[in-house]
Amino acid sequence: MKKIIPILLLGSTLSYAANIEVTINNIKPIIGQLSIVLDTEDTYDKNDKPSSVFSARKKVSALSHKITINSVEPGTYALSIFHDEDNNNELSTNFFGVPNEGYGFSNNVIGSFGKPTFTEANFVVNDDKETINLSVVLVR
């Protein structure tokens, strides 16, 4: 005879992870790579991106791309994307610091003079959602 032994989890908290589906539009020209970074407030303005929650590069092959970031824990995040047309791993700018390559942020916000603040670009991942859909339009 098999015994059923109930297991109690005292003091534990269940944590749910969500997927973030990102649609990136207005990718012109169809060359280079997209650099996608998901940050928390602590990592948003840091240059050492390996500390970011998620970071990836994807070869550009169409005017629009869909990317899924899997298993994101509940919290507040901001998404940054740039179109690295010349494959030099950085956002190329002109003499005045104005980007020569496409870029975008969650909430489709654009900073007045530089990168938007974390508060402007952030979004919340709750533990009650399975998938969050974001659409980012690259600015040129």
Side-chain angles (χ1 to χ4, degrees):
M1 178 183 300
K2 292 182 183 176
K3 290 186 177 182
I4 298 174
I5 302 171
I7 299 174
L8 296 175
L9 299 174
L10 298 175
S12 72
T13 58
L14 294 177
S15 180
Y16 298 96
N19 294 334
I20 301 173
E21 291 182 358
V22 183
T23 302
I24 305 161
N25 297 305
N26 197 34
I27 305 170
K28 299 176 200 169
I30 303 175
I31 60 172
Q33 295 193 33
L34 294 172
S35 181
I36 303 105
V37 178
L38 182 67
D39 283 305
T40 63
E41 187 170 16
D42 293 337
T43 62
Y44 184 71
D45 284 322
K46 305 290 187 275
N47 288 331
D48 105 17
K49 288 302 176 187
S51 66
S52 299
V53 174
F54 173 87
S55 181
R57 290 179 59 81
K58 182 172 177 73
K59 184 176 179 180
V60 173
S61 60
L63 293 172
S64 140
H65 276 281
K66 287 191 179 197
I67 295 165
T68 301
I69 304 171
N70 294 310
S71 302
V72 178
E73 293 297 319
T76 304
Y77 300 93
L79 188 71
S80 307
I81 299 171
F82 82 90
H83 181 188
D84 188 10
E85 295 174 30
D86 56 10
N87 289 313
N88 68 350
N89 294 322
E90 60 184 45
L91 180 64
S92 299
T93 59
N94 67 16
F95 178 75
F96 298 104
V98 177
N100 291 329
E101 299 174 310
Y103 62 93
F105 298 91
S106 41
N107 300 330
N108 285 319
V109 296
I110 305 299
S112 299
F113 292 99
K115 188 176 185 178
T117 66
F118 181 80
T119 302
E120 294 171 314
N122 78 34
F123 60 95
V124 176
V125 174
N126 292 316
D127 59 3
D128 62 346
K129 290 202 174 187
E130 231 174 79
T131 301
I132 294 172
N133 292 297
L134 293 174
S135 180
V136 176
V137 176
L138 295 181
V139 176
R140 296 219 23 89

